[in-house]
Structures are given as C-alpha cells and as structure tokens.
Coordinates of all heavy atoms in Angstrom, one line a residue:
M279 N 18.7 18.8 0.9 CA 17.4 18.2 1.2 C 17.2 17.0 0.3 O 17.5 17.0 -0.9 CB 16.3 19.2 1.0 CG 15.0 18.7 1.3 SD 13.7 19.9 1.1 CE 14.1 21.0 2.4
T280 N 16.7 15.9 0.8 CA 16.4 14.7 0.0 C 15.0 14.9 -0.6 O 14.1 15.3 0.0 CB 16.4 13.5 1.0 OG1 17.6 13.5 1.6 CG2 16.2 12.2 0.2
D281 N 14.9 14.5 -1.9 CA 13.6 14.5 -2.5 C 12.9 13.2 -2.5 O 13.5 12.1 -2.2 CB 13.7 15.1 -4.0 CG 14.5 14.1 -4.9 OD1 14.6 12.9 -4.6 OD2 14.9 14.6 -6.0
G282 N 11.7 13.1 -2.8 CA 10.9 11.9 -2.8 C 11.4 10.8 -3.6 O 11.3 9.6 -3.3
M283 N 11.9 11.1 -4.8 CA 12.3 10.1 -5.7 C 13.6 9.4 -5.2 O 13.8 8.2 -5.4 CB 12.6 10.6 -7.1 CG 11.3 11.1 -7.8 SD 9.9 9.9 -7.7 CE 10.4 8.7 -9.0
T284 N 14.4 10.2 -4.5 CA 15.6 9.6 -3.8 C 15.2 8.6 -2.7 O 15.8 7.6 -2.6 CB 16.5 10.7 -3.2 OG1 16.9 11.6 -4.3 CG2 17.8 10.2 -2.6
L285 N 14.2 9.0 -2.0 CA 13.7 8.1 -0.9 C 13.1 6.8 -1.6 O 13.4 5.7 -1.1 CB 12.6 8.8 -0.1 CG 13.0 10.0 0.7 CD1 11.8 10.7 1.3 CD2 14.0 9.7 1.7
L286 N 12.4 7.0 -2.6 CA 11.8 5.9 -3.3 C 12.9 4.9 -3.8 O 12.9 3.7 -3.6 CB 11.0 6.3 -4.5 CG 10.4 5.2 -5.5 CD1 9.5 4.3 -4.7 CD2 9.7 5.8 -6.6
G287 N 14.0 5.5 -4.4 CA 15.1 4.7 -4.9 C 15.8 3.9 -3.8 O 16.1 2.8 -3.9
A288 N 15.9 4.6 -2.6 CA 16.6 3.9 -1.5 C 15.7 2.7 -1.0 O 16.2 1.7 -0.7 CB 16.8 4.9 -0.4
V289 N 14.4 3.0 -0.9 CA 13.5 1.9 -0.5 C 13.5 0.7 -1.4 O 13.7 -0.4 -1.0 CB 12.1 2.4 -0.3 CG1 11.1 1.3 -0.1 CG2 12.0 3.4 0.9
L290 N 13.4 1.0 -2.7 CA 13.4 0.0 -3.7 C 14.7 -0.8 -3.8 O 14.8 -2.0 -4.0 CB 13.0 0.5 -5.1 CG 11.6 1.0 -5.2 CD1 11.3 1.6 -6.6 CD2 10.6 0.0 -4.8
D291 N 15.8 -0.1 -3.6 CA 17.2 -0.7 -3.6 C 17.2 -1.7 -2.4 O 17.7 -2.8 -2.6 CB 18.3 0.3 -3.5 CG 18.6 1.0 -4.7 OD1 18.1 0.6 -5.8 OD2 19.3 2.0 -4.7
H292 N 16.7 -1.3 -1.3 CA 16.7 -2.2 -0.1 C 15.9 -3.4 -0.3 O 16.3 -4.5 0.0 CB 16.2 -1.4 1.1 CG 16.2 -2.2 2.4 ND1 17.3 -2.2 3.2 CD2 15.3 -3.1 2.9 CE1 17.1 -3.0 4.2 NE2 15.9 -3.6 4.1
V293 N 14.7 -3.2 -0.9 CA 13.8 -4.4 -1.2 C 14.5 -5.3 -2.2 O 14.4 -6.5 -2.1 CB 12.4 -3.9 -1.7 CG1 11.6 -5.1 -2.2 CG2 11.7 -3.1 -0.6
E294 N 15.1 -4.8 -3.2 CA 15.8 -5.6 -4.2 C 17.0 -6.4 -3.6 O 17.1 -7.6 -3.9 CB 16.4 -4.8 -5.4 CG 15.3 -4.2 -6.3 CD 14.5 -5.3 -7.0 OE1 15.0 -6.3 -7.4 OE2 13.3 -5.1 -7.0
K295 N 17.7 -5.8 -2.7 CA 18.8 -6.5 -2.0 C 18.4 -7.5 -1.0 O 19.0 -8.5 -0.8 CB 19.8 -5.5 -1.4 CG 20.5 -4.7 -2.4 CD 21.4 -3.6 -1.7 CE 22.1 -2.7 -2.7 NZ 22.8 -1.6 -2.1
H296 N 17.4 -7.2 -0.2 CA 17.0 -8.0 1.0 C 15.6 -8.7 0.8 O 15.3 -9.5 1.7 CB 16.9 -7.1 2.2 CG 18.2 -6.4 2.5 ND1 19.3 -7.0 3.0 CD2 18.6 -5.1 2.2 CE1 20.3 -6.1 3.1 NE2 19.9 -5.0 2.6
G297 N 14.9 -8.4 -0.2 CA 13.6 -9.1 -0.5 C 12.4 -8.4 0.2 O 11.3 -8.7 -0.2
S298 N 12.7 -7.6 1.1 CA 11.6 -6.9 1.8 C 12.1 -5.7 2.6 O 13.3 -5.6 2.8 CB 10.8 -7.8 2.7 OG 11.6 -8.3 3.8
I299 N 11.2 -4.9 3.2 CA 11.6 -3.9 4.1 C 10.5 -3.8 5.2 O 9.3 -3.9 4.9 CB 11.8 -2.5 3.3 CG1 12.4 -1.5 4.3 CG2 10.5 -2.0 2.7 CD1 13.0 -0.3 3.5
T300 N 10.9 -3.5 6.4 CA 10.0 -3.3 7.5 C 9.9 -1.8 7.8 O 10.8 -1.0 7.3 CB 10.5 -4.0 8.7 OG1 11.7 -3.5 9.2 CG2 10.6 -5.5 8.5
N301 N 9.0 -1.4 8.6 CA 8.9 0.0 9.1 C 10.2 0.4 9.7 O 10.8 1.5 9.5 CB 7.7 0.1 10.0 CG 7.5 1.6 10.5 OD1 8.4 2.1 11.2 ND2 6.5 2.2 10.0
R302 N 10.7 -0.5 10.6 CA 12.0 -0.2 11.3 C 13.1 0.0 10.4 O 13.9 1.0 10.5 CB 12.3 -1.3 12.3 CG 13.6 -1.0 13.0 CD 13.9 -2.0 14.1 NE 13.0 -1.8 15.1 CZ 13.1 -2.3 16.3 NH1 14.1 -3.1 16.6 NH2 12.2 -2.0 17.3
E303 N 13.3 -0.9 9.4 CA 14.3 -0.8 8.4 C 14.2 0.5 7.6 O 15.2 1.2 7.3 CB 14.3 -2.0 7.5 CG 14.8 -3.3 8.2 CD 14.5 -4.5 7.4 OE1 13.6 -4.5 6.5 OE2 15.1 -5.5 7.7
C304 N 13.0 0.9 7.3 CA 12.7 2.1 6.5 C 13.2 3.3 7.3 O 13.8 4.2 6.8 CB 11.3 2.2 6.1 SG 10.8 3.6 5.1
R305 N 12.8 3.3 8.6 CA 13.1 4.5 9.5 C 14.6 4.6 9.6 O 15.2 5.7 9.6 CB 12.5 4.3 10.9 CG 11.0 4.4 10.9 CD 10.4 4.4 12.3 NE 11.1 3.7 13.3 CZ 10.6 2.5 13.8 NH1 9.6 1.9 13.3 NH2 11.3 1.9 14.7
E306 N 15.3 3.5 9.8 CA 16.8 3.5 10.0 C 17.5 3.9 8.7 O 18.4 4.7 8.7 CB 17.3 2.2 10.5 CG 16.8 1.9 11.9 CD 17.2 0.4 12.4 OE1 17.7 -0.4 11.6 OE2 16.9 0.2 13.5
L307 N 17.0 3.4 7.6 CA 17.6 3.6 6.3 C 17.5 5.1 5.9 O 18.4 5.7 5.4 CB 16.9 2.8 5.2 CG 17.3 3.0 3.7 CD1 18.8 2.4 3.5 CD2 16.4 2.2 2.8
L308 N 16.3 5.7 6.1 CA 16.0 7.1 5.7 C 16.1 8.1 6.8 O 15.9 9.3 6.5 CB 14.7 7.1 5.0 CG 14.4 6.1 3.8 CD1 13.0 6.2 3.3 CD2 15.4 6.4 2.7
D309 N 16.3 7.7 8.0 CA 16.3 8.6 9.2 C 15.0 9.4 9.2 O 15.0 10.6 9.2 CB 17.5 9.5 9.2 CG 17.6 10.3 10.5 OD1 17.2 9.7 11.5 OD2 18.2 11.4 10.5
I310 N 13.9 8.6 9.2 CA 12.6 9.2 9.3 C 11.8 8.7 10.5 O 12.2 7.7 11.1 CB 11.8 9.0 8.0 CG1 11.5 7.5 7.8 CG2 12.4 9.6 6.8 CD1 10.7 7.2 6.5
S311 N 10.7 9.4 10.8 CA 9.9 9.0 12.0 C 9.0 7.8 11.7 O 8.8 7.4 10.5 CB 9.0 10.1 12.4 OG 8.0 10.3 11.5
Y312 N 8.5 7.2 12.7 CA 7.6 6.0 12.6 C 6.4 6.4 11.7 O 6.0 5.7 10.8 CB 7.1 5.6 14.0 CG 6.1 4.5 14.0 CD1 6.6 3.1 13.9 CD2 4.8 4.7 14.0 CE1 5.6 2.1 13.9 CE2 3.8 3.7 14.0 CZ 4.3 2.4 13.9 OH 3.4 1.4 13.9
D313 N 5.7 7.5 12.0 CA 4.5 7.9 11.3 C 4.8 8.2 9.8 O 4.1 7.8 8.9 CB 3.9 9.2 11.9 CG 3.2 8.9 13.2 OD1 2.9 7.7 13.5 OD2 3.1 9.8 14.0
H314 N 6.0 8.8 9.5 CA 6.3 9.1 8.1 C 6.7 7.8 7.4 O 6.4 7.7 6.2 CB 7.5 10.1 8.1 CG 7.0 11.5 8.4 ND1 7.4 12.1 9.6 CD2 6.2 12.3 7.8 CE1 6.8 13.3 9.6 NE2 6.1 13.4 8.6
A315 N 7.3 6.8 8.1 CA 7.6 5.6 7.4 C 6.3 4.9 7.1 O 6.1 4.3 6.0 CB 8.4 4.7 8.3
I316 N 5.3 4.9 8.0 CA 4.0 4.3 7.7 C 3.3 5.0 6.5 O 2.8 4.3 5.6 CB 3.1 4.4 8.9 CG1 3.5 3.4 9.9 CG2 1.6 4.2 8.5 CD1 2.7 3.4 11.2
K317 N 3.4 6.3 6.4 CA 2.8 7.0 5.3 C 3.5 6.7 4.0 O 2.9 6.5 2.9 CB 2.9 8.5 5.5 CG 1.9 9.0 6.6 CD 1.9 10.4 6.8 CE 1.0 10.8 8.0 NZ 1.1 12.2 8.3
L318 N 4.9 6.6 4.0 CA 5.6 6.3 2.8 C 5.4 4.9 2.3 O 5.0 4.7 1.2 CB 7.1 6.5 3.1 CG 8.1 6.1 2.0 CD1 7.8 6.9 0.7 CD2 9.5 6.3 2.4
L319 N 5.5 3.9 3.2 CA 5.3 2.5 2.9 C 3.9 2.2 2.5 O 3.6 1.5 1.5 CB 5.8 1.6 4.0 CG 7.3 1.7 4.3 CD1 7.6 0.9 5.6 CD2 8.1 1.2 3.1
G320 N 2.9 2.8 3.2 CA 1.5 2.7 2.9 C 1.1 3.3 1.6 O 0.4 2.7 0.8
G321 N 1.7 4.4 1.3 CA 1.4 5.1 0.0 C 2.0 4.3 -1.1 O 1.3 4.1 -2.2
L322 N 3.2 3.8 -1.0 CA 3.8 2.9 -2.0 C 3.0 1.6 -2.2 O 2.9 1.1 -3.3 CB 5.3 2.7 -1.7 CG 6.2 3.9 -1.8 CD1 7.6 3.5 -1.3 CD2 6.2 4.5 -3.2
S323 N 2.5 1.1 -1.1 CA 1.7 -0.1 -1.2 C 0.3 0.2 -1.8 O -0.2 -0.6 -2.6 CB 1.4 -0.6 0.2 OG 0.7 -1.8 0.3
S324 N -0.3 1.3 -1.6 CA -1.6 1.7 -2.1 C -1.6 1.8 -3.6 O -2.6 1.6 -4.3 CB -2.1 2.9 -1.5 OG -1.5 4.1 -2.0
V325 N -0.4 2.2 -4.2 CA -0.3 2.3 -5.7 C 0.3 1.1 -6.3 O 0.4 1.0 -7.6 CB 0.4 3.6 -6.1 CG1 -0.4 4.8 -5.7 CG2 1.8 3.6 -5.6
G326 N 0.7 0.1 -5.5 CA 1.2 -1.2 -6.1 C 2.7 -1.3 -6.3 O 3.2 -2.3 -6.7
V327 N 3.5 -0.2 -5.9 CA 4.9 -0.3 -5.9 C 5.4 -1.4 -5.0 O 6.3 -2.2 -5.3 CB 5.6 1.1 -5.6 CG1 7.1 0.9 -5.5 CG2 5.2 2.1 -6.7
L328 N 4.8 -1.4 -3.8 CA 5.1 -2.4 -2.8 C 3.8 -3.2 -2.4 O 2.8 -2.7 -2.7 CB 5.7 -1.7 -1.5 CG 7.0 -1.0 -1.6 CD1 7.3 -0.3 -0.2 CD2 8.1 -1.9 -2.1
E329 N 4.0 -4.3 -1.8 CA 2.9 -5.1 -1.4 C 3.1 -5.5 0.1 O 4.2 -5.9 0.5 CB 2.8 -6.4 -2.2 CG 1.6 -7.3 -1.9 CD 1.6 -8.5 -2.9 OE1 1.9 -8.3 -4.1 OE2 1.3 -9.6 -2.4
R330 N 2.1 -5.2 0.9 CA 2.2 -5.4 2.3 C 1.9 -6.9 2.6 O 0.9 -7.5 2.2 CB 1.2 -4.5 3.0 CG 1.2 -4.6 4.5 CD 0.2 -3.7 5.2 NE 0.2 -4.0 6.6 CZ -0.5 -3.4 7.5 NH1 -1.2 -2.3 7.1 NH2 -0.4 -3.7 8.8
T331 N 2.8 -7.5 3.5 CA 2.5 -8.8 3.9 C 2.7 -8.9 5.5 O 3.4 -8.1 6.0 CB 3.6 -9.8 3.3 OG1 4.9 -9.5 3.8 CG2 3.5 -9.8 1.8
G332 N 2.0 -9.8 6.1 CA 2.0 -9.9 7.5 C 1.2 -8.9 8.2 O 0.5 -8.0 7.6
T333 N 1.2 -8.9 9.6 CA 0.4 -8.0 10.4 C 1.2 -7.6 11.6 O 2.2 -8.2 12.0 CB -0.9 -8.7 10.9 OG1 -0.6 -9.8 11.7 CG2 -1.8 -9.1 9.8
A334 N 0.8 -6.4 12.1 CA 1.4 -5.9 13.3 C 2.9 -5.8 13.2 O 3.4 -5.3 12.2 CB 0.9 -6.6 14.6
S335 N 3.6 -6.3 14.2 CA 5.1 -6.2 14.2 C 5.7 -7.1 13.1 O 6.9 -7.0 12.8 CB 5.7 -6.5 15.6 OG 5.4 -7.9 15.9
G336 N 4.9 -8.0 12.6 CA 5.4 -8.9 11.5 C 5.2 -8.3 10.1 O 5.5 -9.0 9.1
T337 N 4.8 -7.1 10.0 CA 4.5 -6.5 8.7 C 5.8 -6.3 7.9 O 6.7 -5.7 8.5 CB 3.7 -5.2 8.8 OG1 2.5 -5.5 9.5 CG2 3.4 -4.6 7.5
K338 N 5.8 -6.7 6.7 CA 6.9 -6.4 5.8 C 6.3 -6.0 4.4 O 5.2 -6.3 4.1 CB 7.7 -7.7 5.5 CG 8.5 -8.2 6.7 CD 9.3 -9.4 6.4 CE 10.1 -9.8 7.6 NZ 11.0 -10.9 7.3
Y339 N 7.1 -5.3 3.7 CA 6.7 -4.8 2.4 C 7.7 -5.4 1.4 O 8.9 -5.3 1.5 CB 6.8 -3.3 2.3 CG 5.8 -2.6 3.3 CD1 6.1 -2.4 4.6 CD2 4.5 -2.3 2.8 CE1 5.2 -1.9 5.5 CE2 3.6 -1.7 3.7 CZ 3.9 -1.5 5.0 OH 3.0 -0.9 5.9
I340 N 7.1 -6.1 0.3 CA 7.8 -6.7 -0.7 C 7.5 -5.9 -2.0 O 6.6 -5.1 -2.1 CB 7.5 -8.2 -0.9 CG1 6.0 -8.4 -1.2 CG2 7.9 -8.9 0.4 CD1 5.6 -9.8 -1.5
R341 N 8.3 -6.2 -3.1 CA 8.1 -5.6 -4.4 C 6.7 -5.9 -4.9 O 6.3 -7.1 -4.8 CB 9.1 -6.1 -5.3 CG 9.1 -5.4 -6.7 CD 9.6 -3.9 -6.5 NE 9.4 -3.2 -7.7 CZ 10.4 -2.5 -8.3 NH1 11.6 -2.4 -7.7 NH2 10.2 -1.9 -9.4
G342 N 5.9 -4.9 -5.3 CA 4.6 -5.1 -5.8 C 4.6 -6.0 -7.1 O 5.6 -5.9 -7.9
S343 N 3.5 -6.7 -7.3 CA 3.5 -7.6 -8.5 C 3.0 -6.8 -9.7 O 3.0 -7.4 -10.8 CB 2.6 -8.8 -8.2 OG 1.3 -8.3 -7.8
K344 N 2.4 -5.6 -9.5 CA 1.9 -4.9 -10.7 C 2.7 -3.6 -10.8 O 3.3 -3.1 -9.9 CB 0.4 -4.6 -10.6 CG 0.0 -3.8 -9.4 CD -1.5 -3.6 -9.3 CE -1.8 -2.8 -8.1 NZ -3.3 -2.6 -8.0
R345 N 2.7 -3.1 -12.0 CA 3.4 -1.8 -12.3 C 2.4 -0.7 -12.3 O 1.6 -0.6 -13.2 CB 4.2 -1.9 -13.6 CG 5.1 -0.8 -13.8 CD 6.0 -1.1 -15.0 NE 7.1 -0.2 -14.9 CZ 8.0 0.0 -15.8 NH1 8.0 -0.8 -16.9 NH2 9.0 0.8 -15.7
P346 N 2.5 0.2 -11.3 CA 1.5 1.3 -11.3 C 1.8 2.4 -12.3 O 2.9 2.5 -12.8 CB 1.7 1.8 -9.9 CG 3.1 1.6 -9.6 CD 3.4 0.3 -10.2
P347 N 0.7 3.1 -12.7 CA 0.9 4.2 -13.6 C 1.9 5.2 -13.0 O 1.8 5.5 -11.8 CB -0.5 4.8 -13.8 CG -1.4 3.8 -13.3 CD -0.7 2.9 -12.3
P348 N 2.8 5.8 -13.7 CA 3.7 6.8 -13.2 C 3.1 7.9 -12.4 O 3.6 8.4 -11.4 CB 4.5 7.3 -14.4 CG 4.4 6.2 -15.4 CD 3.0 5.6 -15.2
H349 N 1.9 8.4 -12.9 CA 1.3 9.6 -12.2 C 0.9 9.2 -10.8 O 0.9 10.1 -9.9 CB 0.1 10.1 -13.0 CG -1.1 9.2 -13.0 ND1 -1.2 8.2 -13.9 CD2 -2.2 9.2 -12.3 CE1 -2.4 7.6 -13.7 NE2 -3.0 8.2 -12.7
K350 N 0.5 7.9 -10.5 CA 0.2 7.6 -9.1 C 1.4 7.6 -8.2 O 1.3 8.0 -7.1 CB -0.5 6.2 -9.1 CG -1.9 6.2 -9.7 CD -2.7 5.0 -9.4 CE -4.1 5.1 -9.9 NZ -4.9 4.0 -9.5
V351 N 2.5 7.1 -8.8 CA 3.7 7.1 -8.0 C 4.2 8.5 -7.7 O 4.6 8.8 -6.6 CB 4.9 6.3 -8.7 CG1 6.2 6.4 -8.0 CG2 4.5 4.8 -8.9
E352 N 4.1 9.3 -8.7 CA 4.4 10.8 -8.6 C 3.6 11.4 -7.5 O 4.1 12.3 -6.7 CB 4.3 11.5 -9.9 CG 5.4 11.1 -10.9 CD 5.1 11.6 -12.3 OE1 4.2 12.4 -12.5 OE2 5.9 11.2 -13.2
T353 N 2.3 11.1 -7.4 CA 1.4 11.7 -6.4 C 1.9 11.3 -5.0 O 2.0 12.1 -4.1 CB 0.0 11.2 -6.6 OG1 -0.5 11.6 -7.9 CG2 -0.9 11.7 -5.5
V354 N 2.2 10.0 -4.8 CA 2.7 9.5 -3.5 C 4.0 10.2 -3.1 O 4.2 10.7 -2.0 CB 2.9 8.0 -3.5 CG1 3.6 7.6 -2.2 CG2 1.5 7.3 -3.6
M355 N 4.9 10.3 -4.1 CA 6.2 10.9 -3.8 C 6.1 12.4 -3.6 O 6.8 13.0 -2.9 CB 7.2 10.6 -4.9 CG 7.4 9.1 -5.1 SD 7.5 8.1 -3.6 CE 8.9 8.8 -2.7
G356 N 5.1 13.0 -4.3 CA 4.8 14.5 -4.0 C 4.4 14.7 -2.6 O 4.8 15.7 -1.9
D357 N 3.6 13.8 -2.1 CA 3.2 13.9 -0.6 C 4.4 13.8 0.3 O 4.5 14.5 1.2 CB 2.2 12.8 -0.3 CG 0.9 12.9 -1.0 OD1 0.6 14.0 -1.5 OD2 0.1 11.9 -1.0
V358 N 5.3 12.9 0.0 CA 6.5 12.8 0.8 C 7.4 14.0 0.7 O 7.9 14.5 1.7 CB 7.4 11.5 0.3 CG1 8.7 11.5 0.9 CG2 6.6 10.3 0.5
E359 N 7.5 14.6 -0.5 CA 8.3 15.8 -0.6 C 7.6 17.0 0.1 O 8.3 17.8 0.7 CB 8.4 16.2 -2.1 CG 9.4 15.3 -2.8 CD 9.6 15.7 -4.3 OE1 9.4 16.9 -4.6 OE2 9.9 14.8 -5.0
R360 N 6.3 17.1 0.2 CA 5.6 18.1 0.9 C 6.0 18.0 2.4 O 6.2 19.0 3.1 CB 4.1 18.1 0.7 CG 3.8 18.8 -0.6 CD 2.3 19.0 -0.7 NE 1.6 17.7 -1.0 CZ 1.6 17.1 -2.2 NH1 2.3 17.6 -3.2 NH2 0.9 16.0 -2.4
L361 N 6.0 16.8 2.9 CA 6.4 16.5 4.3 C 7.8 17.0 4.6 O 8.1 17.6 5.6 CB 6.3 15.1 4.7 CG 4.8 14.5 4.8 CD1 4.9 13.0 4.9 CD2 4.1 15.1 5.9
L362 N 8.7 16.8 3.6 CA 10.1 17.2 3.8 C 10.2 18.7 3.8 O 10.9 19.3 4.6 CB 10.9 16.7 2.6 CG 11.3 15.2 2.6 CD1 11.9 14.8 1.3 CD2 12.3 14.9 3.7
K363 N 9.4 19.4 3.0 CA 9.5 20.8 2.9 C 9.0 21.5 4.2 O 9.3 22.7 4.4 CB 8.8 21.3 1.7 CG 9.5 21.0 0.4 CD 8.7 21.5 -0.8 CE 9.5 21.1 -2.1 NZ 8.8 21.5 -3.3
R364 N 8.1 20.8 4.9 CA 7.6 21.4 6.1 C 8.7 21.5 7.2 O 8.5 22.1 8.3 CB 6.4 20.6 6.7 CG 5.2 20.7 5.9 CD 4.1 19.9 6.5 NE 3.0 19.8 5.6 CZ 2.1 18.8 5.7 NH1 2.1 18.0 6.7 NH2 1.1 18.7 4.8
G365 N 9.8 20.8 7.0 CA 10.9 20.9 7.9 C 10.8 19.9 9.0 O 11.5 20.0 10.0
K366 N 9.9 19.0 8.9 CA 9.7 18.0 10.0 C 10.6 16.9 9.8 O 11.0 16.6 8.6 CB 8.2 17.5 10.0 CG 7.3 18.6 10.4 CD 5.9 18.1 10.5 CE 4.9 19.2 10.9 NZ 3.6 18.7 11.1
R367 N 11.0 16.2 10.9 CA 11.8 15.0 10.7 C 11.0 14.0 10.0 O 9.9 13.6 10.5 CB 12.2 14.5 12.1 CG 13.1 13.3 12.0 CD 13.5 12.8 13.4 NE 14.3 11.6 13.2 CZ 13.9 10.4 13.4 NH1 12.6 10.2 13.8 NH2 14.6 9.4 13.3
L368 N 11.5 13.6 8.9 CA 10.8 12.5 8.2 C 11.2 11.2 8.6 O 12.3 10.9 8.9 CB 11.0 12.7 6.7 CG 9.9 13.1 5.8 CD1 10.3 13.1 4.4 CD2 8.6 12.5 6.0

C-alpha cells in the first residue's frame, strides 16, 4: 500500500522535473481517480505546497512560493492516507 508521503514525493518530483502538474498527469502518475486527484492537489494547494494556476481544463499546479508548516502538510497527507485505507481506488 502506498502512503501519503510517497504520493507527495511523486507529485513534487513531477513538478520539479516538468515545472507543473495537471489533474490528468496526477491521475496517470499515481493511478488515482479524478476526484481523489482534485482532493490531493487542492489540499496541497490549500497549505501552500502547490499553487494553482489557470482555470477549468487549463488548470495546472506549480511549486508553491511559501513553505507551509509541517503539521499542515501532515494533515493533508493524513487525509490522503485515510482514503487509501478505505480501499477505494485513489
């Protein structure tokens, strides 16, 4: 089973290599559903790890300009791990 920090690492590696990540790229990279990708990317954006740019199908997420407190990142990743434990396709 993949944990939340592994997912976070994969997303951040992708952003570092390519400059951004889209919902589609996130789903393909992590083999997760559309809704879970939105929750993951939105959560990372809400704490400042990523920054959302564009709208609708042009939405991309780039590296956030601020460094969030670790406890906020842990909260988001805990939410991701709870989804994984439910056995649902993430």
